[in-house]
Amino acid sequence: MVRGVRVRYRRGLPGGSAMGQRVLPWAMAFLALLALRGAAAAAPNFVLVLADDLGFGDLGSYGHPSSATPHLDWMASRGLRFTDFYSSSSVCSPSRAALLTGRFQMRSGVYPGVFSPGSRGGLPLSEVTIAEVLKAAGYATAMVGKWHLGLGMNASFLPIHQGFDHFLGVPYSHDQGPCQNLTCFPPDIKCFGTCDQGIVPVPLLWNQSIVQQPVSFPDLMPLYNRFSRNFIADCARRGVPFLLYYASHHTHYPQFASQEYTGQSRRGPFGDALAEFDGSVGQLLQALQDNGLANTTLVFFTSDNGPSTLRMARGGSSGLLKCGKGTTYEGGMREPAVAYWPGRITAGVTHDLASTLDVLPTLTALAGAALPKVALDGYDLSPVLFGSGKSPRQTMFFYPPSPDPLHGPFAVRFGKYKAHYFTQGSLHSDTTPDEACHGLTPLTPHLPPLLFDLESDPAENYDLLQSGVGPELLQVLKEIQLHKVLFEQRMEFGESQIRKGRDPALQPCCLPNCTPKPSCCRCS
């Protein structure tokens, strides 16, 4: 049970006289009809919660025996829990671009890899985000947390230029700046590791102004939570529908937490960070309840990519899935996901195929807004959410962090089958016993492809073609190849934003004229 969130029942109106008893049913029916019409007419609110480097096996509701995630598990037990939900990429920047645009990251040029603090490029302003779609439909929009879609000259790529009215957060990953002398857990436990060196300390931004540098990790989540509660309350007072995009830094390395969660988890520092993330979800649910918005708000939770097993116990768990971050195996891109909307979404579990690419088309349809006039790679998941039909998504294409048109997708899922045409390890997935995951494992072509039945073998252990190709599997391979060819014909690679390079002068500094840089960039 979410702390403080309770279902409240109204007492029935007293009948009084016989006349009152005869009139009451008609009056109640009339009031119920008005309520239904009002609910249908009111635009729903959306809270989009994104975890960072959280694995498929990290939550209690997804099987982890020692994770303390009561609020997320509560959502999962009362909402729709997905078992076959995919990110578009196994690393941060491209997965976030696809989430916000409904388009594979290659189209917007968010490849190869991720943005750095001094990147010249960013998510192109010509791309239409879900915030821009909803803002045009009268929504208030806000983002808190990790952006990681570019900063650029004059902060031109930040969220306030991509459809968000407000932004409180960090422009990139919180390990992209020196952290060895920073406190990650109070009172004074230093961050584990050194993070990136030779660049400015990680800043905290309000819209496009630096309000703190380096950021104070133990104070960060309470600050985000307070802003989020205030934003929700303000929208409720004004009667304005809203989108809140809550992109947490948890559970990315280096883990951190506030005093309330430090030392509280059986999973150590990773568990403390995960517990704080879960607590933030609880505060969001409580804010909706307190403002009378619980039944008019869709809360959707997922993660950007799989766990960084390089960090071992500090890197998360992909459960029974193979490998993790940086790979096109299941552990790199299959994510936990929950859709929660009291009174609208029936509690249950769906095995239908779905993706972060589907978020924009789904929210657009629910809001009654207009889709962007561009090629989209997502589908409206309304039939799945409301139990009226199957998912329109039948395929998923798995691109590596550094995609190119020559190799195309490394893997394709069609129905329950997944074919790997290329495999490659990743440093992010080092230290696991499986050498196929390791960074030194080279790019390997497969002809015929490796073929797995993900319903009976989600761990991708048993290649169906090892014992030969029968007529049924031959037909499966033909269908997968056809989908692959048709998709590649439609895919257009945009100009790479990340290959535009870096400029140290673009690194954010609260004291632009200070010396020596980058270490002098410090303000509190």
Side-chain angles (χ1 to χ4, degrees), residues 93-421:
S93 295
S95 67
R96 291 159 194 269
L99 170 72
L100 292 179
T101 65
R103 289 155 52 86
F104 268 105
Q105 57 273 10
M106 296 80 67
R107 297 188 189 275
S108 58
V110 183
Y111 70 90
V114 303
F115 291 110
S116 69
S119 288
R120 293 188 177 92
L123 180 67
L125 300 183
S126 58
E127 290 291 320
V128 181
T129 69
I130 182 59
E132 290 172 304
V133 169
L134 295 177
K135 189 172 182 177
Y139 276 67
T141 58
M143 178 191 169
V144 293
K146 174 180 175 179
W147 174 237
H148 214 181
L149 288 172
L151 187 65
M153 184 72 70
N154 299 319
S156 57
F157 294 117
L158 286 177
I160 61 166
H161 303 297
Q162 308 271 13
F164 292 97
D165 298 323
H166 311 289
F167 170 55
L168 176 65
V170 175
Y172 36 77
S173 281
H174 69 279
D175 67 330
Q176 292 182 304
C179 68
Q180 64 271 22
N181 295 318
L182 300 181
T183 296
C184 270
F185 296 93
D188 196 26
I189 301 174
K190 300 304 180 187
C191 297
F192 181 79
T194 60
C195 302
D196 292 350
Q197 300 295 301
I199 53 179
V200 298
V202 174
L204 175 65
L205 303 187
W206 167 245
N207 291 337
Q208 59 184 33
S209 300
I210 299 173
V211 294
Q212 190 180 60
Q213 191 173 20
V215 64
S216 173
F217 290 130
D219 300 316
L220 195 53
M221 292 303 111
L223 186 64
Y224 287 172
N225 295 339
R226 185 162 61 250
F227 170 82
S228 298
R229 293 194 306 268
N230 290 340
F231 175 73
I232 291 171
D234 180 65
C235 290
R237 280 194 300 270
R238 295 189 292 129
V240 177
F242 65 85
L243 165 70
L244 175 61
Y245 174 37
Y246 193 109
S248 180
H249 305 284
H250 293 322
T251 50
H252 195 291
Y253 160 90
Q255 283 79 35
F256 63 88
S258 59
Q259 182 67 57
E260 181 180 356
Y261 295 95
T262 296
Q264 299 301 306
S265 169
R266 289 189 292 161
R267 288 188 69 182
F270 183 94
D272 290 350
L274 177 56
E276 183 171 57
F277 171 62
D278 181 79
S280 297
V281 172
Q283 292 204 32
L284 293 172
L285 296 176
Q286 184 65 61
L288 296 173
Q289 184 79 7
D290 290 346
N291 289 280
L293 300 175
N295 294 333
T296 56
T297 304
L298 168 63
V299 182
F300 192 90
F301 151 76
T302 188
S303 178
D304 64 342
N305 49 251
S308 180
T309 60
L310 167 68
R311 310 293 177 184
M312 295 180 282
R314 292 176 179 264
S317 170
S318 54
L320 54 67
L321 304 182
K322 187 181 181 76
C323 302
K325 183 175 180 177
T327 75
T328 51
Y329 292 108
E330 290 293 283
M333 294 173 62
R334 196 195 287 209
E335 308 302 332
V338 176
Y340 173 76
W341 191 348
R344 291 295 308 275
I345 293 178
T346 303
V349 177
T350 178
H351 304 292
D352 281 12
L353 203 56
S355 167
T356 51
L357 292 160
D358 305 325
V359 169
L360 181 143
T362 303
L363 301 194
T364 301
L366 294 175
L371 284 170
K373 292 181 170 59
V374 294
L376 293 175
D377 298 304
Y379 299 89
D380 176 12
L381 295 179
S382 296
V384 181
L385 297 183
F386 305 124
S388 62
K390 302 291 289 182
S391 172
R393 176 172 293 282
Q394 297 300 309
T395 57
M396 187 65 200
F397 300 92
F398 299 73
Y399 281 88
S402 300
D404 65 75
L406 178 63
H407 292 92
F410 274 21
V412 179
R413 178 169 177 178
F414 173 63
K416 69 176 184 176
Y417 294 102
K418 182 179 178 183
H420 288 269
Y421 293 87

